[in-house]
Amino acid sequence: MVLITKLMNILLPSMHPDVDEAFFLLSKNTDHNIYFLDQSWVPVIKYGLKYTASTKNRVTISYQEFLDTDIIDAVINPCFEQQNDVINNIINKKGSSVKYISYYGNEYHTGVINFNYFKNVLSANLHAYQVGKLQGVHSSHILLPVDYEVFQEAPEESLTVLNSYINSYGEFWAHSLALYSQCTAQFPNLDFRRYGVGEPNGYISGPNLYDSFKEEIATMHIKEKEGYGFATIQSLATGRPIIAFKPFVRGKTMERWITDETSIILESTAEFKSKLDRYLTDETYRHNLQHNAAVKIREIINFEEQQQVFNNFLEELI
């Protein structure tokens, strides 16, 4: 158990399942309590997902109860897309009796975090962490974990299925889809499955997502704007390497775990066939890559270390 001196009730007014799950995990074996708003809270950003607060063993309160009582000590804004919603409907209505935290995962763009409202910043992105320091706010660098007890290293079950995640951001969609189509055309006998909101195979999470990773040989990740990539972490933890384009990984947080030791990295679509052929036909290479993926991600995003970062951060909230 991690020993702490300040016990806190923390609210996640969130519709981001992976961020929700990560903070929920980080509160385990501590006396911190994570609360979720029930369905009386309807944020502007819904991600097209089912409401996540109904997950088993999670404590929920109503939006009005949050406003009318002093149950909550701190609120975590889970993503920059939801920032204005949190400012308008949480901060401006609740006031200064609560501490406000901004979590930032993707690549940082100047002006994204409103430091007038958020004096505490938890960031997976090093630049956002450094900007927070320069702004004089309480800033810590954290790598949010996934549930390694769910996403266990699994022996391969198939050599015919390959999962894929491509950009959902409109301005990048056409380019990502073109790259995906060029790759899939080179392997007509493989079953390429696209997952995500609005994708052919839909959005899945938790045990269902783990089962989908077990069934595949690797995970294609074609996201130009993604900086963290929970799907990459979940896939590697299961022992399924990532197939990624180097320009989309270079300089981003995920570059720490998407490496030649854990993944298949492409400079262009011209390399896809030869590199995937090697992975499919060279059993020793394939099994080494699978095992390295599961081992390295647990070393890089070590749960106990990140839990300590989270607890230390909560000790010093402004």
Side-chain angles (χ1 to χ4, degrees), residues 104-210:
Y104 201 90
N106 282 337
E107 297 314 289
Y108 186 73
H109 302 281
T110 301
V112 167
I113 298 176
N114 191 326
F115 294 105
N116 292 321
Y117 291 94
F118 296 99
K119 302 301 182 184
N120 304 279
V121 174
L122 265 176
S123 179
N125 175 262
L126 274 173
H127 183 51
Y129 157 72
Q130 291 162 351
V131 169
K133 287 288 189 184
L134 290 173
Q135 291 288 329
V137 302
H138 174 41
S139 183
S140 291
H141 180 240
I142 193 167
L143 299 177
L144 291 188
V146 303
D147 193 340
Y148 294 133
E149 292 182 7
V150 171
F151 295 93
Q152 298 181 26
E153 182 179 2
E156 64 183 35
E157 295 182 356
S158 168
L159 289 179
T160 60
V161 177
L162 199 151
N163 290 354
S164 306
Y165 292 81
I166 67 176
N167 273 307
S168 58
Y169 299 103
E171 65 267 36
F172 299 108
W173 169 257
H175 185 211
S176 297
L177 187 60
L179 292 174
Y180 172 80
S181 299
Q182 291 169 34
C183 291
T184 58
Q186 298 178 52
F187 287 87
N189 295 325
L190 286 184
D191 181 5
F192 289 86
R193 300 178 182 176
R194 278 188 6 226
Y195 289 94
V197 177
E199 292 289 357
N201 292 92
Y203 178 87
I204 54 176
S205 60
N208 291 332
L209 181 57
Y210 174 64

Side-chain angles (χ1 to χ4, degrees), residues 7-286:
L7 310 181
M8 305 191 73
N9 292 330
I10 303 163
L11 181 71
L12 271 162
S14 176
M15 294 297 285
H16 194 306
D18 292 318
V19 175
D20 289 357
E21 180 67 17
F23 282 115
F24 185 68
L25 288 170
L26 290 173
S27 71
K28 289 176 65 175
N29 299 323
T30 76
D31 289 315
H32 293 314
N33 300 306
I34 298 290
Y35 286 77
F36 295 85
L37 289 173
D38 67 17
Q39 295 191 37
S40 62
W41 165 253
V42 184
V44 173
I45 302 297
K46 301 184 181 66
Y47 293 95
L49 307 176
K50 293 181 180 179
Y51 194 77
T52 59
S54 60
T55 304
K56 185 179 179 182
N57 296 329
R58 297 190 180 185
V59 180
T60 64
I61 61 172
S62 72
Y63 176 56
Q64 196 60 48
E65 185 180 4
F66 162 68
L67 294 178
D68 293 343
T69 67
D70 295 322
I71 294 173
I72 299 301
D73 301 303
V75 174
I76 299 177
N77 175 49
C79 54
F80 73 91
E81 293 97 337
Q82 203 170 317
Q83 177 175 251
N84 288 338
D85 204 22
V86 170
I87 289 172
N88 293 332
N89 297 302
I90 299 287
I91 300 177
N92 285 341
K93 294 192 175 181
K94 186 65 176 178
S96 60
S97 62
V98 172
K99 307 295 185 182
Y100 298 105
I101 302 163
S102 181
Y103 169 72
Y104 201 90
N106 282 337
E107 297 314 289
Y108 186 73
H109 302 281
T110 301
V112 167
I113 298 176
N114 191 326
F115 294 105
N116 292 321
Y117 291 94
F118 296 99
K119 302 301 182 184
N120 304 279
V121 174
L122 265 176
S123 179
N125 175 262
L126 274 173
H127 183 51
Y129 157 72
Q130 291 162 351
V131 169
K133 287 288 189 184
L134 290 173
Q135 291 288 329
V137 302
H138 174 41
S139 183
S140 291
H141 180 240
I142 193 167
L143 299 177
L144 291 188
V146 303
D147 193 340
Y148 294 133
E149 292 182 7
V150 171
F151 295 93
Q152 298 181 26
E153 182 179 2
E156 64 183 35
E157 295 182 356
S158 168
L159 289 179
T160 60
V161 177
L162 199 151
N163 290 354
S164 306
Y165 292 81
I166 67 176
N167 273 307
S168 58
Y169 299 103
E171 65 267 36
F172 299 108
W173 169 257
H175 185 211
S176 297
L177 187 60
L179 292 174
Y180 172 80
S181 299
Q182 291 169 34
C183 291
T184 58
Q186 298 178 52
F187 287 87
N189 295 325
L190 286 184
D191 181 5
F192 289 86
R193 300 178 182 176
R194 278 188 6 226
Y195 289 94
V197 177
E199 292 289 357
N201 292 92
Y203 178 87
I204 54 176
S205 60
N208 291 332
L209 181 57
Y210 174 64
D211 288 341
S212 80
F213 285 133
K214 286 201 308 181
E215 292 175 358
E216 67 162 356
I217 55 172
T219 299
M220 286 187 69
H221 196 264
I222 309 178
K223 291 194 170 187
E224 295 173 65
K225 199 172 181 179
E226 186 83 87
Y228 196 68
F230 278 100
T232 68
I233 300 166
Q234 293 156 337
S235 178
L236 293 175
T238 310
R240 300 300 180 262
I242 302 300
I243 301 173
F245 289 94
K246 193 170 186 177
F248 297 170
V249 174
R250 187 184 296 117
K252 297 180 178 179
T253 307
M254 65 174 67
E255 188 175 31
R256 293 183 60 179
W257 50 85
I258 299 180
T259 69
D260 289 329
E261 286 188 280
T262 65
S263 304
I264 300 168
I265 301 176
L266 311 172
E267 290 286 354
S268 70
T269 56
E271 294 183 336
F272 183 67
K273 189 173 192 312
S274 61
K275 289 195 171 184
L276 188 56
D277 268 335
R278 181 193 176 194
Y279 180 71
L280 292 172
T281 58
D282 187 335
E283 183 175 310
T284 300
Y285 166 68
R286 185 174 68 252

